[in-house]
Amino acid sequence: MRAAAPHALLAALRAELISAYGALAVELHLADYGLRVLTSLDGPDGESEPLSLHNTPEGRAFGSQEPREQQVRHDDAVDHHLPVTVRGERLGILTVRLPQTLSTPELVGELTHVADLLGHEILVAERDTDLYQRARRTSRLTLAAEMQWQLLPARACTAAEFAIGAQLEPAYAIHGDNFDWAADGDELTLAVTNGMGEGIQASLLTNLAVNALRNARRAGIGIADQAALADQAIYDQHRGASHVSTLLLRFELATGRVGVVDAGSPQLWIQRGRSVHRIELEAQLPLGMFEESQYTVQEFHVEPGDRLLLLSDGVYDAASPLGEVYGDRMLARAIQSTRLLPAATVPRAILGELAEYRVTDTLDDALVLCLDWFGRQKN
């Protein structure tokens, strides 16, 4: 695969699996931006029917993140559906059809490793080809959404101390909401941002804010000063006419101590055991509202087993057809109902419940980021 051209990873892998493993067929399906279907990398536009993530063998393998077998009808062969995942980021499913006689646990173990390698190679190949980006789309992205998705780190991440999952809606027309994270050996930094306005203007504003925060973070600056420098960058550009609501968190991986700056409307919720409640924070000014705003850090601790939810106002301010706001009560119930799901699948599930609540489509952005805290094991 490493020797193959970026657009030819699947062709190179298919030839190798046929030659070395006796594979009868090899297919790759990638999860779409809305995390609703799996789309074929091979299928020409409009000719390949997407596979549901909910009621197909491939979808069940994607959800469980475990290899699944499916006997081929009227044939002495077995399809092996293998998750293609990179550090928690669920990309899709590799399906390898093998003769029944070759379908041994040892061989499936090797193919599972191959699927893992394929995921890493896809991420590298995406720097040089649009093939995999196009395959993930069931419809055209708006320009604002294109900018937002390119700005994201991933939709999931796992480490020894934590697991993260996040999702944006409407996936193909998002404009102002965004999330970002970065981790090293000592700390994890999370940011949820919401640029005011609509369309391309909101996306441009959020791009400025996220890159200003990254620039400060990569200079080794604490989250209070990250917020202050991003605030100044936005104010210098817009002179207070536009602002960005932001929630910044910094986790000490060894201790579970968390520093947080609440600069706007995103909310922070915690689930500890069966208890679910909002963490009340000192509200500070959104970024870019006034010149040279100063920010302070509040602190709290997380314990192993805690789950944190970061949510934009498009979630808790959503209204039903009767005008009833989703609010704290419905949100707490949604968090409770998803408590057994892994972090990577929680955002999609909550946003699905939100869509049923409001019934009608909306252009309002909605963002959910879920973090499960495991803590660092003591030797």
Side-chain angles (χ1 to χ4, degrees):
M1 285 189 286
R2 289 181 179 175
H7 65 275
L9 291 180
L10 182 59
L13 177 60
R14 180 180 287 128
E16 192 64 25
L17 292 182
I18 291 172
S19 173
Y21 289 83
L24 303 174
V26 178
E27 294 185 65
L28 175 63
H29 287 84
L30 298 175
D32 86 305
Y33 284 84
L35 288 176
R36 293 182 176 87
V37 296
L38 293 163
T39 59
S40 173
L41 187 68
D42 279 335
D45 292 345
E47 294 183 16
S48 181
E49 193 70 24
L51 303 175
S52 170
L53 280 176
H54 305 293
N55 56 13
T56 62
E58 294 87 347
R60 287 188 283 272
F62 185 88
S64 69
Q65 288 294 287
E66 295 289 340
R68 285 182 176 260
E69 297 182 4
Q70 180 186 10
Q71 185 69 40
V72 179
R73 289 184 179 181
H74 313 301
D75 199 352
D76 189 22
V78 179
D79 283 339
H80 296 275
H81 305 301
L82 311 163
V84 179
T85 302
V86 183
R87 294 189 179 91
E89 170 75 335
R90 304 176 176 200
L91 301 181
I93 291 293
L94 177 70
T95 297
V96 181
R97 179 170 294 180
L98 294 175
Q100 183 77 56
T101 55
L102 297 180
S103 295
T104 64
E106 292 77 17
L107 193 56
V108 172
E110 291 187 28
L111 292 176
T112 301
H113 180 57
V114 168
D116 181 66
L117 293 176
L118 175 61
H120 285 267
E121 292 303 319
I122 287 174
L123 291 188
V124 175
E126 283 184 331
R127 298 180 308 179
D128 303 308
T129 179
D130 288 336
L131 177 67
Y132 308 100
Q133 299 280 355
R134 287 199 303 267
R136 294 191 183 102
R137 305 179 183 202
T138 57
S139 62
R140 184 176 178 179
L141 293 177
T142 65
L143 178 55
E146 186 80 52
M147 295 171 64
Q148 294 297 72
W149 283 106
Q150 291 301 313
L151 196 61
L152 298 178
R155 285 189 293 198
C157 178
T158 57
E161 299 88 356
F162 60 85
I164 300 172
Q167 179 66 12
L168 300 169
E169 287 292 344
Y172 290 82
I174 197 81
H175 39 78
D177 285 5
N178 205 277
F179 55 84
D180 195 26
W181 61 69
D184 56 29
D186 299 317
E187 63 183 48
L188 164 70
T189 301
L190 291 179
V192 167
T193 50
N194 179 6
M196 66 176 290
E198 298 181 355
I200 193 69
Q201 293 302 319
S203 182
L204 287 168
L205 182 59
T206 299
N207 267 259
L208 175 60
V210 171
N211 280 295
L213 290 169
R214 285 177 176 172
N215 180 254
R217 185 188 73 216
R218 290 166 182 169
I221 295 171
I223 58 173
D225 289 332
Q226 288 176 31
L229 289 172
D231 167 77
Q232 191 60 47
I234 297 167
Y235 184 84
D236 288 346
Q237 184 68 28
H238 296 282
R239 313 307 296 178
S242 297
H243 60 264
V244 178
S245 299
T246 303
L247 187 61
L248 277 170
L249 295 93
R250 176 187 174 272
F251 296 77
E252 289 185 359
L253 299 181
T255 66
R257 186 168 68 177
V258 186
V260 56
V261 173
D262 180 1
S265 60
Q267 290 186 6
L268 178 61
W269 287 64
I270 186 169
Q271 181 174 26
R272 180 171 289 170
R274 289 190 170 271
S275 172
V276 175
H277 64 273
R278 180 182 173 187
I279 297 178
E280 298 293 339
L281 299 168
E282 177 190 348
Q284 302 180 65
L285 293 172
L287 306 184
M289 184 169 282
F290 296 105
E291 188 172 14
E292 297 183 355
S293 299
Q294 299 299 310
Y295 296 91
T296 58
V297 178
Q298 295 178 258
E299 291 190 351
F300 65 96
H301 277 79
V302 285
E303 300 174 0
D306 284 353
R307 167 168 286 179
L308 296 180
L309 280 297
L310 288 70
L311 309 115
S312 72
D313 57 0
V315 177
Y316 52 83
D317 283 347
S320 73
L322 298 177
E324 298 172 344
V325 175
Y326 195 64
D328 289 1
R329 183 177 61 85
M330 293 297 297
L331 184 53
R333 190 163 73 179
I335 294 172
Q336 283 281 23
S337 70
T338 57
R339 68 184 184 276
L340 299 180
L341 297 177
T345 62
V346 168
R348 176 67 261 162
I350 291 178
L351 290 169
E353 291 192 21
L354 178 68
E356 292 180 5
Y357 178 82
R358 64 190 181 201
V359 180
T360 57
D361 291 336
T362 176
L363 294 179
D364 289 342
D365 289 357
L367 180 157
V368 177
L369 186 150
C370 176
L371 180 140
D372 285 347
W373 183 257
F374 310 133
R376 180 165 289 176
Q377 300 295 319
K378 293 182 174 62
N379 296 327

